[in-house]
Amino acid sequence: MTKLLLASTSPARKRLLQDAGISFETMPPGVDEDALVAKLKPENAHDLTLLLAKAKAEAVTFPELVLGCDSALAFEGQILGKPKDPQVAIERWKQMRGKSGELHSGHYLIDHQSGKAAGKTSSTKVYFANLTDSQIEKYVATGEPLE
């Protein structure tokens, strides 16, 4: 049976594959995303997510299938990554509440046995609930929006 390696530390991506019943291993890709973006300067969220997904897949060594993934939110002309800091997450939510943005996801799969690779991006419009300040703070306190 072919083995899959997820080149990611994302709890959400792990959960997605587990919920789909897919058996896999994980390994942190160790990609310096900020440095790569600064060097290659992708023009939009579509290009950014595919670039980072590919870099993550190529950064790990595994003899079979390797999947690299990345996502970014385009909101009011900005490309937003993970907030990483609770205060940043709270401020973003306050700006986004009651509005919508475009979530872009990049995926890059390498089959080391055949030497083939393929990448694809997708995007979807996401709507943000019109939460109160208290609701936003409680949500951010769960840690979920930081992942």
Side-chain angles (χ1 to χ4, degrees), residues 58-74:
E58 291 176 340
V60 298
T61 303
F62 193 71
E64 297 184 40
L65 294 175
V66 177
L67 178 62
C69 308
D70 195 73
S71 59
L73 178 68

Side-chain angles (χ1 to χ4, degrees), residues 22-91:
I22 296 172
S23 177
F24 64 97
E25 297 177 33
T26 61
M27 182 181 298
V31 172
D32 185 340
E33 296 180 30
D34 294 334
L36 188 59
V37 169
K39 178 181 176 185
L40 299 177
K41 298 177 180 35
E43 292 185 22
N44 53 51
H46 172 274
D47 294 346
L48 170 74
T49 58
L50 189 56
L51 167 81
L52 292 176
K54 182 179 181 191
K56 291 173 184 180
E58 291 176 340
V60 298
T61 303
F62 193 71
E64 297 184 40
L65 294 175
V66 177
L67 178 62
C69 308
D70 195 73
S71 59
L73 178 68
F75 178 74
E76 295 184 343
Q78 294 182 341
I79 300 172
L80 306 174
K82 296 172 196 74
K84 299 179 185 174
D85 177 80
Q87 195 56 43
V88 172
I90 289 169
E91 291 308 314

Side-chain angles (χ1 to χ4, degrees), residues 45 72-81 91-104 124-128:
L73 178 68
F75 178 74
E76 295 184 343
Q78 294 182 341
I79 300 172
L80 306 174
E91 291 308 314
R92 278 192 192 168
W93 254 100
K94 287 179 179 180
Q95 292 172 358
M96 296 184 300
R97 64 179 154 199
K99 299 178 183 176
S100 65
E102 192 97 11
L103 181 65
H104 299 268
T124 188
K125 192 168 190 176
V126 292
Y127 297 89
F128 299 96

